[in-house]
Amino acid sequence: MNLVTAEHLTKSYTERLLFDDADFSINEGEKIGLIGINGTGKSTLLKIVAGLEEPDEGIVVRGRNLDIRYLPQNPVFTSGDTILQSIVRDNEGHEHPWDLESQARIMLTKVGISDFEAKVETLSGGQRKRVALVSTLMSDTDLLILDEPTNHLDSQMAGWLEEYLKKFRGAILMITHDRYFLDSVTNRIVELDRGKLYSYQSNYEGFLRLKAERLDMAAATERKRQSILKVELAWIQRGARARSTKQKAHIQRYEALRDQKAPESDRDVEMGSVFSRLGKTTIELDHLSKAYGDNMLMEDFSYIFLKNDRIGIIGPNGSGKSTLMKIIAGWEKPDSGTVTMGQTVKIGYFSQENEAMDESLKVIDYIRKAGEYVRTGDGSISASQMLERFLFPPSVQYTAISRLSGGEKRRLYLLRVLMEAPNVLLLDEPTNDLDIRTMTILEDYLDGFSGIVITVSHDRYFLDRIVRRIFAFEGRGRVSQYEGGYTDYEIEYRRRHPEDSGQAENIKKKDSEAKTENGQKTGRNSRRKLRFSYQEQKDWEVIEDQIQALEEELAGLEARIEEAARDFERLKELMEEKEEKEQKLEEKMERWMYLNELAEQIAGEGGRV
């Protein structure tokens, strides 16, 4: 059943055209992730769907008796309310009012709120967002509209929310830049790009593939248009005279084709590596301890940072992650211990608070304070050129910072930090309010950054992509080290702390016994010898030839696709065939990896393959 239909939406904000004759709909049971560059109108679209804002043109039709709950980026509360009073006030029509407070207490605990009687005006920004999230989730609603629900949630909280939304029976429309979260929860991605909305019936992983196909098709169509234009232009230049109706029609077709807009390519955030030389001595943390009252954040923590270290810092909210960053930056002092800083160390600190951003300044003046020019691998680049590379066109550069969206301010702040050419980057929750495209380019930039990167982040994708070592705040002053990214940390943490995942008994059983082929329990050393099954043996003998054949077929398809650039229908058929072959190749590769690993295990036991 259709819940919301929006047609021919047009909306402008000052000189910006946010939507240009865009269409959009939400059906029952859909879980939609809305993505796009910051400042292009994502939050505005959520408000329009929720009925809190009107488009300049177009219509929005909502289903009869449709109940909608909306979580804004910056929630507003009634002053004087306690946390529980605020939630009860927001959910007066709850289906089970007698159970409302107990459910709220349980859910608040899940997001790290334990003082239920605290006044809402005393809460931090992150706590206010989490209280508002709980209040929104408590409602009995047909459609949840969530603007950045994962901001200010640690990894464990984000995991809980992920499972909650996957089980939610209503429809969801949300903005989030957490790519693992999008991949797990959504069944449809809607991209807002240059005023148009593009829908992809898939999660985030599928969206990446489908968008690439859309861009390929658009590029093929443009090649065909250019080819036809070339022929038509030659006809015009041969001296054809528009004396007949037929010839006039020919010329009109040529002019219409000529005036069509070519597909625009994405303007990515581009940044050559900007950094200062880092000497032999970097940063040394020696027996650091820090506590606030009885809350011991870290105790006797030591570490010497190596050149090109990539460190991710994780832990629950309030555990001390940002405090450690501030101690490294020299903004706070430890209770005991020392921080030794090399003479060549130049720190760039991307904090959560957009430090020292005077919002009355024009965008370009704010960046010029870091330097009129900056040296990159591409040579000397002006502040204006750097702003263009960071998706701030000339029309925006002379705008006051106060008129930018929250995400645009974060992107501008990031550019300012990078332009100061640091060799040690401290990134405190860099994924909050940065759009996915900016995050992708930041990740690529960090790949080529010749310096130290230390980041606090709850974004599991970002940590897996960037870091090679994890510092985990585990309570009572303990900061433990784990090698690898976030996924590696999770695996190692479960191994070190099986009691936390409820697997202690299972691990003991696996260590002491194994099952034979007929299900009888025997000692670990008497388990059956590994070997291929009949089907596995058959597959192993032919799979490499099958992979090679598929790769050759794909190479042939690529050539045929290039030849068919002018034939749209044929091109579509070939693209579909290519997708099918690529899927088969991926399945064969996964099967080969499994069989190869099994073959190595068999060989290691002295068996025959």
Side-chain angles (χ1 to χ4, degrees):
M1 185 178 75
N2 191 265
L3 302 180
V4 179
T5 300
E7 295 179 339
H8 306 296
L9 290 185
T10 299
K11 181 74 174 179
S12 297
Y13 176 72
T14 62
E15 72 281 0
R16 300 189 202 184
L17 182 62
L18 300 181
F19 316 127
D20 181 15
D21 195 31
D23 296 331
F24 180 66
S25 65
I26 304 173
N27 294 314
E28 198 171 35
E30 285 193 311
K31 294 183 168 67
I32 303 170
L34 177 63
I35 64 174
I37 296 173
N38 286 330
T40 54
K42 299 190 300 296
S43 292
T44 301
L45 180 61
L46 261 56
K47 291 174 185 175
I48 288 174
V49 173
L52 301 175
E53 201 165 317
E54 294 296 325
D56 297 337
E57 297 178 24
I59 60 169
V60 181
V61 179
R62 300 173 188 86
R64 183 176 296 179
N65 301 322
L66 177 67
D67 185 63
I68 298 175
R69 281 299 299 268
Y70 168 64
L71 173 72
Q73 275 195 37
N74 301 301
V76 177
F77 296 88
T78 302
S79 183
D81 276 356
T82 67
I83 290 173
L84 272 179
Q85 286 172 341
S86 175
I87 292 174
V88 170
R89 182 192 299 276
D90 287 346
N91 292 277
E92 289 180 346
H94 194 272
E95 187 179 359
H96 305 296
W98 61 87
D99 200 28
L100 181 61
E101 285 199 20
S102 61
Q103 288 182 32
R105 290 172 190 269
I106 293 170
M107 205 173 285
L108 285 166
T109 304
K110 294 285 188 183
V111 297
I113 303 290
S114 56
D115 185 0
F116 311 130
E117 299 305 317
K119 299 290 187 182
V120 289
E121 59 264 29
T122 67
L123 303 178
S124 68
Q127 289 171 324
R128 291 166 70 89
K129 184 65 178 276
R130 282 179 272 148
V131 170
L133 173 64
V134 168
S135 182
T136 304
L137 296 180
M138 289 291 299
S139 61
D140 305 305
T141 188
D142 306 307
L143 173 61
L144 277 176
I145 300 179
L146 308 175
D147 198 341
E148 295 288 4
T150 57
N151 274 9
H152 308 291
L153 299 184
D154 64 32
S155 301
Q156 187 174 359
M157 295 174 193
W160 167 80
L161 179 61
E162 187 177 299
E163 291 304 314
Y164 183 92
L165 294 181
K166 283 163 70 174
K167 295 174 184 174
F168 179 70
R169 292 184 179 181
I172 299 171
L173 171 63
M174 66 177 172
I175 299 169
T176 180
H177 305 316
D178 186 324
R179 286 157 286 186
Y180 279 160
F181 193 87
L182 278 172
D183 215 34
S184 177
V185 175
T186 63
N187 53 28
R188 179 178 163 206
I189 297 290
V190 173
E191 182 184 25
L192 176 56
D193 186 19
R194 300 177 186 89
K196 300 295 185 182
L197 292 165
Y198 298 92
S199 180
Y200 305 85
Q201 295 292 336
S202 181
N203 60 5
Y204 181 72
E205 181 182 355
F207 152 74
L208 293 175
R209 175 177 52 81
L210 292 170
K211 181 179 179 180
E213 290 178 4
R214 176 175 73 82
L215 295 177
D216 284 346
M217 295 291 284
T221 302
E222 175 61 13
R223 286 195 298 270
K224 180 179 179 181
R225 184 178 77 92
Q226 291 294 340
S227 178
I228 295 172
L229 271 175
K230 188 176 179 180
V231 173
E232 295 290 313
L233 181 61
W235 182 86
I236 293 286
Q237 290 174 338
R238 276 199 300 269
R241 298 289 182 265
R243 293 174 180 167
S244 71
T245 303
K246 184 176 180 181
Q247 288 168 329
K248 286 180 181 179
H250 200 150
I251 291 172
Q252 288 169 351
R253 283 199 302 272
Y254 161 74
E255 290 175 342
L257 202 61
R258 178 199 62 196
D259 294 338
Q260 283 180 15
K261 285 186 177 180
E264 297 181 55
S265 58
D266 289 342
R267 294 182 300 139
D268 283 336
V269 177
E270 299 173 2
M271 183 80 170
S273 190
V274 179
F275 59 90
S276 305
R277 187 186 67 84
L278 185 61
K280 290 184 178 180
T281 304
T282 58
I283 302 173
E284 299 180 7
L285 311 180
D286 190 30
H287 301 289
L288 295 185
S289 293
K290 182 71 176 180
Y292 290 109
D294 296 331
N295 184 18
M296 177 61 72
L297 301 181
M298 67 196 81
E299 186 174 20
D300 197 31
F301 178 64
S302 299
Y303 186 78
I304 299 174
F305 288 93
L306 306 174
K307 286 185 178 181
N308 295 314
D309 249 349
R310 299 292 189 267
I311 306 296
I313 303 175
I314 65 172
N317 290 328
S319 60
K321 304 182 300 295
S322 293
T323 301
L324 176 58
M325 297 278 272
K326 290 175 181 176
I327 289 173
I328 293 170
W331 290 16
E332 287 194 22
K333 298 293 182 185
D335 296 339
S336 61
T338 59
V339 178
T340 303
M341 199 76 62
Q343 290 185 349
T344 60
V345 168
K346 185 176 181 182
I347 289 178
Y349 190 3
F350 184 64
S351 70
Q352 291 193 52
E353 295 85 15
N354 291 1
E355 292 294 334
M357 180 176 274
D358 181 354
E359 297 198 1
S360 66
L361 286 174
K362 292 184 174 66
V363 168
I364 194 162
D365 292 335
Y366 175 72
I367 292 301
R368 280 175 175 162
K369 284 195 169 188
E372 188 69 45
Y373 291 89
V374 66
R375 297 286 304 177
T376 73
D378 304 324
S380 183
I381 298 177
S382 70
S384 179
Q385 288 172 316
M386 288 307 305
L387 280 165
E388 286 198 64
R389 291 186 174 197
F390 247 59
L391 305 182
F392 293 103
S395 60
V396 177
Q397 292 179 16
Y398 290 88
T399 300
I401 292 173
S402 60
R403 296 176 65 182
L404 301 180
S405 71
E408 287 175 308
K409 290 174 185 175
R410 290 291 281 172
R411 192 191 324 142
L412 183 65
Y413 177 43
L414 174 62
L415 174 59
R416 169 71 178 266
V417 170
L418 296 181
M419 277 196 67
E420 291 174 346
N423 49 35
V424 177
L425 272 174
L426 303 181
L427 307 174
D428 196 350
E429 294 293 359
T431 62
N432 281 359
D433 298 317
L434 285 185
D435 57 76
I436 289 174
R437 196 186 305 172
T438 305
M439 285 306 310
T440 301
I441 304 304
L442 174 61
E443 289 159 359
D444 291 342
Y445 169 82
L446 294 178
D447 285 343
F449 179 73
S450 294
I452 297 168
V453 178
I454 307 166
T455 181
V456 171
S457 182
H458 299 315
D459 189 319
R460 298 159 293 175
Y461 188 104
F462 181 72
L463 291 171
D464 275 344
R465 176 72 172 76
I466 293 302
V467 310
R468 297 192 288 267
R469 182 170 294 130
I470 295 283
F471 292 169
F473 279 74
E474 297 181 342
R476 299 183 300 278
R478 186 172 70 251
V479 182
S480 301
Q481 294 184 37
Y482 297 81
E483 296 303 306
Y486 185 82
T487 302
D488 300 307
Y489 152 76
E490 277 194 316
I491 294 169
E492 179 62 15
Y493 182 85
R494 285 197 294 267
R495 191 190 69 78
R496 293 188 195 180
H497 306 279
E499 69 282 358
D500 287 355
S501 56
Q503 295 178 348
E505 195 60 36
N506 288 339
I507 289 174
K508 288 178 184 176
K509 288 180 180 179
K510 287 178 181 177
D511 284 343
S512 62
E513 61 189 32
K515 291 185 178 180
T516 61
E517 197 165 10
N518 63 6
Q520 296 298 314
K521 296 179 180 178
T522 66
R524 184 178 178 86
N525 295 328
S526 62
R527 62 183 177 83
R528 69 184 179 92
K529 198 169 185 177
L530 281 174
R531 64 180 181 182
F532 276 147
S533 68
Y534 174 75
Q535 187 60 50
E536 287 169 342
Q537 184 68 48
K538 284 183 63 178
D539 290 350
W540 180 243
E541 290 170 357
V542 299
I543 196 163
E544 290 190 5
D545 291 337
Q546 292 173 337
I547 289 172
Q548 183 178 347
L550 282 168
E551 288 174 337
E552 290 172 355
E553 288 175 23
L554 277 169
L557 273 172
E558 291 284 358
R560 288 155 62 195
I561 286 170
E562 191 66 31
E563 292 169 0
R566 300 182 183 182
D567 186 345
F568 185 78
E569 290 300 323
R570 179 62 177 149
L571 182 64
K572 184 179 179 182
E573 293 174 6
L574 290 171
M575 292 294 287
E576 290 173 354
E577 186 179 349
K578 180 187 174 187
E579 181 182 342
E580 183 182 339
K581 296 290 184 187
E582 285 175 338
Q583 179 66 30
K584 286 182 180 178
L585 180 59
E586 185 178 342
E587 291 170 359
K588 291 293 182 185
M589 289 299 295
E590 288 178 0
R591 180 66 169 168
W592 177 85
M593 287 174 67
Y594 162 75
L595 293 173
N596 186 61
E597 185 176 337
L598 182 56
E600 288 177 354
Q601 291 174 357
I602 293 170
E605 293 186 357
R608 294 180 63 186
V609 177

